[in-house]
């Protein structure tokens, strides 16, 4: 039972609980209309202590498509933060007005604190560089719907694997499924942290390789998960110039890929995927964004206990 | 009849009109579901010329829970203020789109001016240090629901009684009820203004005492209304250091209080009520926030003439 | 058929298509209630890359009065713009969440670019000094409803005719109707651009005169379309002082006007129309604002194909 629960970290739910969410999302996609009044009379508090249009839109559209309403703010300047109120007091007050809350916060752990004082379910919509569990749900639903299952895949994660919370969460989540292999493609400065290798991959006996070049590894992948490589993250200009093109997905690199390889990206992208790829049927990142809305509909409905 | 009226000052309505609002609020609390379509097709304009998350959330949630919709802004930067438009023109235009408006403004009197040019009911949601009538309605409803009536109480107002508009409005409002006694607890720098003593309390023959220490007066109170004491308001550091702890409500001070004393606070609090008090059943400030939403539902419904 | 179309420039639709919109607007005005569920389950994305309270409120109220919902932002700081995302990617993502989008952008052509990548209808709500087509629709509906038809009028356009996009668009739109005469009243620094005279007025054989003084031309007008004259736009202080009063509409100037002359203004006004005029039955600018909401209701309903 997910009713009344919080979602703070991607691993808060068991695989069975996740299956329940994904099955509900499938059902919503199939017949959206029959869900349009499920949250009638319910209010989502959308608490964005830092701007994130995409994630905010996704949650708010999800609530509206379930027939619910939304109160909220989209940046801290229009909130009471300036008055020095604690997160605990804010969520206790919000609990008076709303039935469920979603929180994006620049400080790690803020949504967790909120959930400890809240009378209503709290969903973490990103806390600093820490967690962004509904992105992970989005990624899993997209894989599940495209491949038919989540296991039995070779997935390449490409870009900034050091700071990218999206990739860290995805690796953790996928480590609970059968027969998942990772190809971790990044410049050496931005390699996956050791603790993920030791505590997630090796501990669970998961096969992985590390690589520096995208094109050389393309052919083996069922899924390519792209993320951005920011110039500022490189130690020196030369390395950046030498490597940057390796981390931009272009049509010529796609020629090495399997015919049914999925290209995913959490968005927004800057230049790490060439817009020419958008028309390639393997480019699934906008579909992924749409699935993000559906998985949030399913999540909200489950936490509110209306489905 | 309240249909089509404005609420600019706490005393704009008679006690009988207030009773009508409180009775409707009671009825909404008892059976919220039967009110969920009362404002269907109606729009509230939520005009916040300065941020106030709590008050804005309360009004917007109130409108949504009545089935209505909301347009608005939460700070002046995203409004047309910068284009030099007058309040009169703004409200006349807003009247074209919305059915009722709520206005928070840093300038005293701005909502009053708006109401003079408006085709739709205008509710003052706070104008500078001046008035905040729906906070007063919230306070009265909380007292009424907890004590069964509004009169026959001894109420302690504690903190900054000089600048605190909330307390001034509450004293004025309570002065219209039977047998209300005040204990006015503040540092000498922040005593209640003379005009309130003369023109409200003494003029109406209302019993009051002034005091400096909270603990010494605790035992006599039916209600303790806490407000914040800001350091900047003290004339010198020594006084602040000497007095500040007197104005922080702690569990040891609560030991002097009656078993059914109500602790109220308009929120947000900073440190003037210790979080340990939150679990004390006498701590009613979060319940008060919830009643604030219900009293706003009743107010909106009355002014729109739908209940 | 307007379903699925975009509205980027005022001339994107034929007169027949505009008639369809105006007839629907008439019908909505007559019986608003029967349209209150037409957009149930639909979402409008309200993308304001620069603040414009009035236009935003008008669109959002329009969507709500059709039973739809709104996601959006009211200024760029709370959007993903800062992350360097392209307009193309933004609209493609928004297409995942919403059914129709309205965009105000400081850069000319941004809504056009968005429409090229969008899966959903895009409405231009103003792009820099360029176009603001729904203002033109508003103006045309107001003329049509007041005069019974759009042709056979003498219209005075007064104020800044050089930079005023509203007037440029209105002239272009009116040039497609029968027997429209223009009186173009402005300081010499702010005369209508040559290309509009040549390519719109003269090319279509439309009668027009240019003038400097409002009062001298008042008597001939069926419609007076006022716009603001900004001090900064004058070349020198003397000219400004000499001319400024000519461009302020006052009761004494109204005495020269026909008894049924319409005064229009796109709003917000600063001081170019004296507030004393507001009570004159010929002052239609607030009614015009209301019609603006109704024409947007009709437009949204047509582009979504629900009416």
């Amino acid at each position: 039972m997910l009713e009344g629960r919080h979602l703070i970290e991607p691993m808060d739910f068991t695989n069975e609980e996740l299956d329940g969410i994904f099955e509900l999302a499938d059902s919503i996609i199939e017949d959206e209309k029959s869900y349009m009044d499920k949250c009638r009379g319910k209010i989502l508090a959308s608490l964005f202590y830092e701007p994130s249009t995409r994630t905010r839109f996704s949650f708010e559209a999800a609530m509206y498509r379930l027939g619910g309403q939304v109160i909220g703010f989209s940046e801290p300047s229009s909130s009471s933060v300036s008055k020095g109120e604690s997160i605990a007091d804010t969520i206790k007050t919000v609990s008076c007005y709303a039935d469920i809350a979603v929180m994006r916060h620049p400080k790690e752990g803020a949504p967790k604190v909120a959930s400890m004082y809240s009378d209503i379910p709290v969903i973490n919509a990103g806390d600093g560089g820490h967690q962004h569990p509904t992105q992970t749900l989005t990624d899993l639903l997209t894989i599940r719907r495209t491949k038919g299952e989540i296991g039995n895949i070779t997935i390449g994660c490409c870009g900034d694997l050091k700071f990218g919370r999206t990739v860290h969460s995805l690796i953790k989540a996928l480590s609970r499924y059968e027969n998942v292999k990772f190809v971790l493609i990044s410049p050496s400065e931005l390699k996956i942290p050791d603790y993920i290798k030791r505590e997630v991959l090796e501990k669970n006996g998961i096969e992985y390789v590390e690589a520096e070049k995208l094109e050389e590894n393309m052919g083996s992948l069922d899924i390519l998960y792209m993320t951005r490589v920011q110039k500022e993250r490189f130690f020196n200009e030369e390395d950046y110039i030498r490597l940057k093109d390796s981390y931009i997905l272009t049509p010529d690199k796609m020629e090495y890929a399997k015919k049914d390889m999925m290209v995913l990206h959490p968005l927004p992208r800057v230049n790490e995927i060439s817009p020419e790829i958008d028309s390639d049927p393997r480019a699934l990142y906008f579909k992924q964004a749409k699935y993000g809305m559906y998985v949030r509909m399913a999540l909200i409905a489950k936490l509110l206990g209306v489905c």
Side-chain angles (χ1 to χ4, degrees), chain A residues 15-69:
Chain A
N15 279 15
E16 288 64 39
E17 288 167 337
L18 290 180
D19 281 345
I21 292 171
F22 299 144
E23 279 156 24
L24 179 54
D26 286 344
S27 165
I28 293 171
I29 291 167
E30 207 163 298
D31 180 17
E32 195 183 324
K33 275 212 157 174
S34 71
Y35 292 86
M36 72 188 288
D37 279 323
K38 288 292 181 191
C39 287
R40 212 160 92 79
K42 305 281 185 193
I43 294 178
L44 167 73
S46 172
L47 312 173
F48 278 72
Y49 288 82
E50 70 179 7
S52 174
T53 313
R54 183 179 317 277
T55 304
R56 186 169 62 83
F57 278 13
S58 182
F59 272 108
E60 296 182 8
M63 190 57 174
Y64 290 139
R65 291 191 183 279
L66 290 166
Q69 284 290 10

Side-chain angles (χ1 to χ4, degrees), chain A residues 3-14:
Chain A
E3 185 175 349
R5 299 263 296 275
H6 309 289
L7 176 61
I8 305 303
E9 307 208 7
M11 313 292 272
D12 281 352
F13 299 159
T14 64

